[in-house]
Amino acid sequence: MRNKTLKKIVTITLSTILSAGILVGCAAQAAPATSDPEDAAAQEVQVTEGEQDADATEPAEVRTIYAVTGASPRPFTYYGDDNELTGQNIELVTAIFDKLPQYELVWEVTDFPSIFAGLDSDKYQLGVNNFAKNPERAEKYIFTDPIFSNAYIIVYRKDLELPEKLDFPDLAGLNYVGQTAINGTTAIENFNDENPDKLININYTEEDLNVQLSDIEAGKYDFLIIDKPMYWGFYQPEFGYDLNTADLAGYGVGEGLDSYLIVSKTAENEQLVKDINAALKEVVEEGTSKELNEKYFGDDYSPSYN
């Protein structure tokens, strides 16, 4: 477009000069015109190539990606003191898309069930909420590579004597507290089904985790199961509970409890997942993931690409 405008300006200027008769007697000589067809063709090729180079500098079309979160639980995703969306998941995804100029990232916040409804309809392309992988979700959505390696721990009353690393049989007869359908509650339900002679007492609740932990501290319940980075990254430093913790066998770092981003299942989004995975690997290898994990969790839970 700029070349065409320039040609137009030159043409108008020359026409004006010629009409005024100013070129008569001019000392400068114009380049002789050629009648050679090959020279003319070469000139035309040069112009065409120049126009192509100009077009090549035009920016490629940028695709808008709508990322959705429930803004909970902390420290994965939440509103900070300035009422801005933040958290380990949020900052990590932002760092990933900083490496992907072909996409514009737009954040949306909704209630947790609506995340899945929006992904199902492709209203949202990217789900960001400390998601674990299970067979049901894997059938409906595309999972990225792991964004960090999660782990579960037991948080229990100070007066109980339990091993530093325990298994479910060590908890037989104790009172567990937790919400329905979460991973810890489901794991205990499965254990009880398979071990009716070593039942763990389940106390279902819809109370906030802070209330549950306070109830354990007060002796109302014996223990709960919680994400290790969640407990040490937020709840313990924020509220200072006087409670003990223990690792849970089979649920430690590197034992398959990774967290992921989920993407709506469309053909177009298959390339999106490839691009996210490539940028995620860079973010991990350059140390940005480690910095964010230590900031929010107090330790590094970055996935391994060995």
Side-chain angles (χ1 to χ4, degrees), residues 46-85:
Q46 289 176 353
V47 171
T48 303
E49 289 176 348
E51 291 177 348
Q52 288 176 346
D53 290 341
D55 292 339
T57 62
E58 293 293 324
E61 183 177 353
V62 175
R63 182 186 174 197
T64 300
I65 300 300
Y66 291 94
V68 62
T69 181
S72 178
R74 190 168 178 161
F76 305 110
T77 168
Y78 64 98
Y79 283 109
D81 294 337
D82 55 1
N83 207 34
E84 292 292 326
L85 191 62

Side-chain angles (χ1 to χ4, degrees), residues 144-160:
T144 66
D145 289 341
I147 59 173
F148 76 94
S149 294
N150 207 343
Y152 293 149
I153 57 173
I154 299 293
V155 180
Y156 62 95
R157 287 184 6 231
K158 204 67 178 287
D159 59 328
L160 288 177

Side-chain angles (χ1 to χ4, degrees), residues 196-215:
D197 58 332
K198 297 180 181 178
L199 291 179
I200 300 169
N201 301 317
I202 300 177
N203 297 271
Y204 295 100
T205 182
E206 293 302 319
E207 296 282 6
D208 180 84
L209 265 171
N210 181 35
V211 176
Q212 296 177 38
L213 289 162
S214 296
D215 285 343

Side-chain angles (χ1 to χ4, degrees), residues 11-236:
T11 302
I12 293 171
T13 304
L14 288 176
S15 298
T16 305
I17 294 172
L18 287 170
S19 64
I22 295 175
L23 288 184
V24 176
C26 181
Q29 283 189 331
T34 179
S35 59
D36 190 312
E38 292 184 1
D39 290 344
Q43 292 177 7
E44 185 174 350
V45 168
Q46 289 176 353
V47 171
T48 303
E49 289 176 348
E51 291 177 348
Q52 288 176 346
D53 290 341
D55 292 339
T57 62
E58 293 293 324
E61 183 177 353
V62 175
R63 182 186 174 197
T64 300
I65 300 300
Y66 291 94
V68 62
T69 181
S72 178
R74 190 168 178 161
F76 305 110
T77 168
Y78 64 98
Y79 283 109
D81 294 337
D82 55 1
N83 207 34
E84 292 292 326
L85 191 62
T86 189
Q88 187 270 353
N89 280 194
I90 305 303
E91 286 205 45
L92 183 70
V93 170
T94 300
I96 289 169
F97 276 84
D98 282 346
K99 297 182 177 294
L100 302 174
Q102 65 270 41
Y103 302 108
E104 178 186 4
L105 186 66
V106 176
W107 288 102
E108 299 275 352
V109 178
T110 187
D111 59 282
F112 192 75
S114 296
I115 292 177
F116 300 102
L119 289 168
D120 291 342
S121 64
D122 200 39
K123 176 183 179 181
Y124 311 125
Q125 287 73 55
L126 184 65
V128 185
N129 223 97
N130 188 34
F131 289 109
K133 183 186 288 189
N134 60 41
E136 292 76 21
R137 289 177 182 172
E139 287 183 5
K140 298 185 66 176
Y141 311 107
I142 310 173
F143 280 74
T144 66
D145 289 341
I147 59 173
F148 76 94
S149 294
N150 207 343
Y152 293 149
I153 57 173
I154 299 293
V155 180
Y156 62 95
R157 287 184 6 231
K158 204 67 178 287
D159 59 328
L160 288 177
E161 293 186 6
L162 294 173
E164 291 184 3
K165 185 167 186 177
L166 50 78
D167 206 343
F168 288 116
D170 299 312
L171 302 168
L174 297 181
N175 289 300
Y176 165 83
V177 60
Q179 295 179 326
T180 59
I182 65 172
N183 290 338
T185 303
T186 301
I188 291 179
E189 289 172 340
N190 292 338
F191 173 79
N192 283 347
D193 289 342
E194 297 171 4
N195 301 273
D197 58 332
K198 297 180 181 178
L199 291 179
I200 300 169
N201 301 317
I202 300 177
N203 297 271
Y204 295 100
T205 182
E206 293 302 319
E207 296 282 6
D208 180 84
L209 265 171
N210 181 35
V211 176
Q212 296 177 38
L213 289 162
S214 296
D215 285 343
I216 293 172
E217 190 175 39
K220 184 176 180 180
Y221 307 110
D222 294 323
F223 75 97
L224 58 68
I225 298 174
I226 189 172
D227 297 61
K228 186 174 182 177
M230 184 188 298
Y231 184 72
W232 291 113
F234 173 63
Y235 283 95
Q236 173 57 31

Side-chain angles (χ1 to χ4, degrees), residues 75-76 88 148 229 232-233 292-299 301:
F76 305 110
Q88 187 270 353
F148 76 94
W232 291 113
L292 292 174
N293 287 342
E294 290 176 342
K295 173 183 177 180
Y296 286 101
F297 304 149
D299 203 350
Y301 294 85

Side-chain angles (χ1 to χ4, degrees), residues 231-280:
Y231 184 72
W232 291 113
F234 173 63
Y235 283 95
Q236 173 57 31
E238 182 74 12
F239 301 103
Y241 304 108
D242 187 22
L243 294 167
N244 284 342
T245 64
D247 293 332
L248 182 58
Y251 293 87
V253 174
E255 294 188 90
L257 296 176
D258 297 328
S259 292
Y260 305 80
L261 306 174
I262 58 176
V263 177
S264 57
K265 189 173 274 190
T266 69
E268 188 177 19
N269 287 343
E270 291 180 3
Q271 183 60 50
L272 171 62
V273 173
K274 292 179 182 178
D275 293 337
I276 288 174
N277 287 342
L280 170 61

